[in-house]
Amino acid sequence: MTPFHAGELAIQERVGVRDHMAGAAAFIRDFMPEQHRQFYASLPFFFLGALDAAGQPWATMLAAGPGFVSTPDEHTLHIGGGMLAGDPLEGQLRVGDHVGGLGLEPTTRRRNRVNGEIVAADEGGLRIAVTQSFGNCPQYIQHRQHSAAPDDGRKVQVLRGVALTAADRELIARADTFFIASANMKADAGRGRGVDVSHRGGRPGFVRVDDERTLTSPEFVGNFFFNTLGNVAEYPRAGLLFIDFERGDLLHIAVEAEIIWDGPRLQAFAGAERLLRFHVREVVRNAGALPFRWTAPQPAMQNARTGSWEEADRAQSAAALTTSWRTFTVADVVRESADVRSFHLEPADGLGVAAHVPGQFVSVRVPEWADGGAASQIRSYTISDAPNGRRYRVSVKRDGVVSSWLHAHLAPGAQIELMGPGGDFTFEEGTQRPAVLLSAGIGITPMIAMLNGLLVNGSRTRHRHPIHFIHGARETAHPFAVHLQTLAAGHSNLSVHVQSKRIDINLLRELLPFDDYDFYLCGPAGFMQTMYEGLRKLNVPDQRIRFEAFGPASVRRSDVAGTQAVAAAAGPVPVHFVRSGVEAIWDGSHGSLLELAEANGVAAPSGCRSGLCGSCAAGLESGDVAYTRRCSTQPEAGQVLLCSVAPRAGASEIALAL
């Protein structure tokens, strides 16, 4: 029988991990390992979740000397006191009640969970029959050292209400930690029936105080058990505990919880998988009750990949500016290889960075410069890292006029104009197939961004299927070599193959076991076309091959019908490039009029090649065109975006001012 109840299984199914989590059931025992028993006995405090007589879950912290939590045997947990006066669970715990326990040691970031049923409750304490016992990883736990509270004469006060006071809101707004109790007591919950108490951590400000009756908190990547979310899906009531580590206050909040699965708020919060919104029912503040105080925290390493609500608000404001040029400041420059540098860019206007999806790009506009004699030019570069809510990273190979200028002129403190992010070359969310990330040269950048988005926190993966990273690089010391080795060492589902010679289809057939893959391609034009055609000859469906190209490189698909609007003409349509004096025929084999122009030697301006930057706008002198994609930029009257248009079905001819 599975230790997960229907609510937990439903969420595992929704996020695509249910089959993989079936094997994790073995880690949830009905007894405590010896190391857990020794760990509990060493703790001077212990976290508990339980229901009151009205069925409301509460989370609390018990505190006493080491040894007040003991284990007479591997199936029994004994708690000898530790409940503080004024605790909302005081006098509420009786034989037959279910409780959730959490032992946590901030100095080592160690934590273990134990859930069970009270079988005895008397003056000697609580005796609990263990139903579930398992360890948790140290993610998001802030390092703190406790000591005895000073005797400052402060009296303990118990403050009750139905809304958050100003002091409560201030504590929550600066909190980097809270605990949440939840429950599923349905008769059909099986081995998953009971109460749970869990830890949540993040950067200060990761819990938003929407108003005196509402809070919102992000859910980051965890162990995929989904104990809390599964309980909330079945029984929305929950209990929150915030601790004032400096003053020794305990803030207990009874709430109704709801899961938010999508929306702009979620997208704007870096690292968030989903959100929990809490509606306040009751508040109990046990002021000055704890006999401990704690040192200032040392943040968990996982915090660096997460945001705060202040940053998320700025990101939402910036989302409206993705089609405008904004000034960014170079915060750092990192040499990745002999000819590749990463530029870390932060907004100069204080509005934050618009959220992006790994694989997307920004367009860069370099100014006129005296030494090169060139006019302002636009180029597009992949954001080479997953979102962190504070900056973009673009990794640029010194190749061409603009890229060389960036290498020569961008140093910390310099400023540059950006537009975006944009683009649709992103990892398919929720896919259940193995993935092949296939790149050459500087085409490695979107693949690194995707990996950094999928593989997080040292060992966690958002894609619980094999990922094959295959890269061809001329140089032996290619960009991100050490980073790739680190990722491969920490994630068993990632295999990495990098070679200095050309990658071809024969190599793929040697490296990949027979399976049903999603392919992601990025690199120079010849590489892209060759790999695409080779995969199609192996009967890989067109829709399973996604790609990004740099410069004029663009893949000619063998299944054009699925990639263009139904209004586009199949041909033949005469196309006149008036200023160049070039006559060409549209026959449906090119993806856009920009590609047709380049194929016929017509010098056509371009930048992002996805309808974002507008640099490919050209005058339409006659004829009728159809857009093959939705574009972020609208050209001026009488102009079209060459990268995103084709002759409309029925057009007799096209004339362009090129």
Side-chain angles (χ1 to χ4, degrees):
M1 292 179 59
T2 176
F4 302 116
H5 59 66
E8 295 162 332
L9 291 172
I11 294 180
Q12 291 173 9
E13 180 73 29
R14 176 166 184 162
V15 302
V17 300
R18 179 168 175 171
D19 290 345
H20 288 271
M21 294 310 296
F27 295 99
I28 301 179
R29 314 171 185 88
D30 61 0
F31 66 91
M32 296 172 289
E34 181 61 29
Q35 60 170 323
H36 289 202
R37 298 174 63 188
Q38 295 176 5
F39 176 65
Y40 294 139
S42 70
L43 298 175
F45 46 82
F46 189 76
F47 297 91
L48 195 73
L51 308 181
D52 64 15
Q56 172 63 53
W58 292 92
T60 194
M61 182 180 189
L62 310 179
F68 84 104
V69 178
S70 61
T71 56
D73 57 65
E74 63 182 6
H75 295 284
T76 308
L77 184 81
H78 185 267
I79 301 176
M83 185 167 290
L84 304 172
D87 192 297
L89 287 175
E90 187 177 22
Q92 298 286 324
L93 303 179
R94 297 174 175 83
V95 172
D97 288 351
H98 282 255
V99 297
L102 170 65
L104 188 147
E105 190 173 59
T107 52
T108 60
R109 295 188 167 98
R110 185 181 176 189
R111 58 176 160 175
N112 292 309
R113 304 260 283 279
V114 55
N115 302 334
E117 181 181 349
I118 299 175
V119 294
D122 51 36
E123 293 183 358
L126 303 175
R127 187 156 55 91
I128 300 164
V130 173
T131 57
Q132 290 191 346
S133 171
F134 54 98
N136 268 171
C137 66
Q139 291 189 121
Y140 308 109
I141 298 175
Q142 329 300 347
H143 176 284
R144 284 183 166 91
Q145 177 64 60
H146 73 277
S147 60
D151 184 7
D152 55 7
R154 181 185 177 199
K155 294 183 178 180
V156 177
Q157 288 184 296
V158 180
L159 309 173
R160 301 179 183 271
V162 294
L164 300 168
T165 67
D168 298 337
R169 298 196 296 271
E170 185 275 334
L171 170 58
I172 296 169
R174 60 181 169 85
D176 58 26
T177 299
F178 75 95
F179 300 85
I180 179 169
S182 59
N184 180 4
M185 299 306 300
K186 292 183 178 179
D188 62 358
R191 287 182 59 200
R193 184 172 184 264
V195 180
D196 173 80
V197 63
S198 295
H199 165 275
R200 293 292 186 271
R203 295 169 56 209
F206 82 113
V207 181
R208 183 187 187 101
V209 182
D210 298 307
D211 54 50
E212 64 180 6
R213 300 294 297 271
T214 315
L215 304 172
T216 305
S217 174
E219 287 284 293
F220 302 133
V221 173
N223 57 16
F224 297 103
F225 287 6
F226 295 118
N227 303 125
T228 299
L229 295 189
N231 285 346
V232 166
E234 297 287 305
Y235 185 69
R237 290 193 186 184
L240 311 182
L241 171 66
F242 291 87
I243 301 171
D244 189 326
F245 293 101
E246 297 177 2
R247 296 174 56 83
D249 293 3
L250 294 174
L251 178 62
H252 309 270
I253 310 173
V255 299
E256 289 266 353
E258 61 173 317
I259 305 170
I260 299 175
W261 291 97
D262 51 35
R265 268 192 170 186
L266 173 60
Q267 185 180 19
F269 199 108
E273 301 286 295
R274 56 205 61 84
L275 303 177
L276 276 175
R277 181 161 292 148
F278 302 115
H279 303 280
V280 176
R281 296 169 52 89
E282 186 178 354
V283 181
V284 177
R285 184 163 185 146
N286 211 346
L290 280 174
F292 306 113
R293 300 294 184 269
W294 281 262
T295 58
Q298 298 176 22
M301 60 174 290
Q302 296 83 15
N303 288 2
R305 286 282 180 186
T306 67
S308 68
W309 283 109
E310 181 180 359
E311 292 168 357
D313 288 343
R314 293 202 301 266
Q316 284 191 266
S317 298
L321 304 175
T322 56
T323 58
S324 302
W325 290 104
R326 297 174 60 199
T327 301
F328 278 67
T329 300
V330 179
D332 195 14
V333 179
V334 177
R335 186 177 184 270
E336 306 288 1
S337 69
D339 58 357
V340 175
R341 291 184 182 180
S342 288
F343 301 99
H344 297 254
L345 308 171
E346 297 179 348
D349 55 14
L351 291 181
V353 295
H356 76 279
V357 181
Q360 290 187 308
F361 62 84
V362 289
S363 293
V364 175
R365 182 166 67 182
V366 299
E368 297 181 8
W369 61 87
D371 54 340
S376 174
Q377 296 192 44
I378 297 171
R379 294 290 185 274
S380 295
Y381 298 98
T382 299
I383 303 171
S384 61
D385 201 357
N388 63 19
R390 296 177 289 282
R391 57 173 60 174
Y392 299 133
R393 182 181 76 177
V394 295
S395 301
V396 180
K397 181 179 180 180
R398 187 191 293 110
D399 182 18
V401 174
V402 175
S403 296
S404 297
W405 186 89
L406 295 176
H407 274 250
H409 292 79
L410 291 194
Q415 293 190 328
I416 192 74
E417 288 186 302
L418 266 61
M419 180 188 289
D424 54 9
F425 181 57
T426 58
F427 196 87
E428 182 182 350
E429 186 177 352
T431 179
Q432 301 297 300
R433 291 181 292 273
V436 181
L437 308 185
L438 187 57
S439 60
I442 197 61
I444 195 174
T445 53
M447 308 309 184
I448 289 294
M450 290 181 191
L451 279 183
N452 288 352
L454 294 171
L455 308 177
V456 296
N457 299 351
S459 63
R460 299 295 184 193
T461 176
R462 292 186 170 99
H463 183 67
R464 300 183 69 84
H465 303 274
I467 302 173
H468 301 274
F469 188 98
I470 303 172
H471 178 67
R474 292 181 180 178
E475 65 275 8
T476 54
H478 67 87
F480 311 112
V482 174
H483 181 63
L484 278 172
Q485 293 170 3
T486 302
L487 287 178
H491 297 86
S492 60
N493 67 323
L494 173 64
S495 63
V496 174
H497 179 86
V498 178
Q499 65 178 37
S500 56
K501 62 182 180 180
R502 187 180 182 87
I503 292 174
D504 57 22
I505 290 296
N506 289 331
L507 174 66
L508 293 189
R509 298 175 74 170
E510 294 175 8
L511 293 176
L512 300 176
F514 182 79
D515 211 333
D516 185 15
Y517 298 100
D518 287 333
F519 287 88
Y520 297 81
L521 314 180
C522 189
F527 166 81
M528 298 279 290
Q529 192 67 48
T530 299
M531 297 309 304
Y532 173 80
E533 292 174 355
L535 292 171
R536 293 293 286 122
K537 289 178 181 178
L538 292 176
N539 295 319
V540 177
D542 182 86
Q543 64 269 24
R544 300 277 176 83
I545 307 173
R546 300 186 176 204
F547 49 78
E548 181 69 286
F550 286 3
S554 186
V555 173
R556 294 184 300 278
R557 286 189 180 272
S558 58
D559 180 13
V560 178
T563 63
Q564 293 190 354
V566 294
V573 179
V575 179
H576 309 287
F577 297 100
V578 177
R579 294 176 186 172
S580 303
V582 174
E583 303 287 331
I585 298 295
W586 173 270
D587 62 4
S589 64
H590 295 88
S592 67
L593 285 173
L594 174 61
E595 294 180 23
L596 180 68
E598 293 170 339
N600 286 273
V602 176
S606 67
C608 70
R609 307 178 74 88
S610 67
L612 173 69
C613 70
S615 60
C616 65
L620 178 65
E621 296 194 357
S622 65
D624 198 7
V625 299
Y627 276 85
T628 60
R629 63 161 64 92
R630 181 178 296 177
C631 299
S632 301
T633 295
Q634 298 298 316
E636 296 179 4
Q639 292 188 329
V640 296
L641 299 181
L642 293 178
C643 72
S644 304
V645 292
R648 185 179 295 276
S652 57
E653 65 175 7
I654 302 292
L656 295 166
L658 279 178

